[in-house]
Amino acid sequence: MPEDARARQRTAAGVGLLLTLALAAVLLTALPDDGEREGGAGCVPRAVGSWSTDERLTAEFARYGDDASRVDDWTGGDGTHSVQLPDGRVLWLFSDTYLGQVYGPPNPVGESYAWRDTTAPLVRNSAVVMRDRRLESTLPTPLFPDPAPNQWRWPVAARVEPRSPGSDEKVVRVLLWVRTAGQSPWIYGVPTATEVATLSLPDLRVESITKVLDEQLVQDPSRRVLFGTTLVEEDGWTYVFGGDDGQAASRPASSAYVARVPEGRLGEPGAWRYWDGAAWTAGARPRAVLGDGRRTGVGSAFSVVRADGTYVLFTMAAGTKGLSTVTSYWACSPAGPWHGPTKDFSPALPHAQVAAYNPQTHPELAGDGRVVLSYDVNWLETAGASAQISRNVSLYRPRFVTLRLTPTR
């Protein structure tokens, strides 16, 4: 072949390649951002750069819990979640909660702790209202009644959203975990269902409770998924994270899952779409987005925030470190892939046989690049735990840290 013919052939091939690349770029640009490709240029690896104890918030819950002016209000609880209301108030939601009277020290065994009687009422859930960073009242308890004998409801994440898509009227949607009494290893109840409660505003009256995912047909309780441990709002979607109870099945860590719901439709079971590993679907079983059952995974409750295009997940570390150490993972999309674990930190714990759990972020209390995170504390051994946390009421209350996330590259 003459040289000029070969040159024309090379030129034609080069033009064809350029056209192919240009067409591919156009097609990629035209593809809708369906959630699994989020993040963009703003997504970079992030981890905890620094942290400090938030004494003021921790002290506020101690002050309110020790207040002896009422005997029907909150004196201690776990499962700490919060949501800011349109009028500026903050609604705090708790799972198992102690009411009753708190007495000043010394306790009956002579220790210098405030205490409550071991016969003090225990309810399965409660809600406390904060105004201007000061706790002021406990709503009637339990706020969410038991669905059936030997079953109970634990409230988890919540958000304010339109009563229906496009509506100007706002309501509070609260995710609920339904658990059923069971035998060991299900000492904290067998996972049963995920529900959504609707609360009116501004009076916070429970209007309805809707079941969105019934897990009773899943034979292995350790494979049942309860959604709502944390929510992330983005571009008209609410991403709802959940987990299984793998730790109850002797796996070092549980797995995390994610669903998404259009804004205003959390209370509609048919609007939920679950990530099945390839797409958001209505009918398929959700597929884990994090957790290999060994080195990586989540605790029974965890939290996710979005920081400048990066999603960051906080959880207790896998294995025995999970009794005292918080770790994190990062991703460019709620569906992952999730990377980590990254840098750990160990918040302060009382000098006793206790464990930390349920790290939860509270965006309404943050700002200036800060993240406010709470963690719950309980007696390490289940036998006799109630007596121990009654002789020292400060144990069974949330504690807080303030942290900053920094890029890691």
Side-chain angles (χ1 to χ4, degrees), residues 185 222 245-253 293:
S222 71
D245 266 21
Q247 289 178 311
S250 299
R251 299 201 303 268

Side-chain angles (χ1 to χ4, degrees), residues 170-185:
K170 303 291 186 181
V171 294
V172 182
R173 310 283 192 198
V174 180
L175 277 294
L176 303 172
W177 288 350
V178 177
R179 289 184 175 265
T180 302
Q183 303 297 318
S184 179

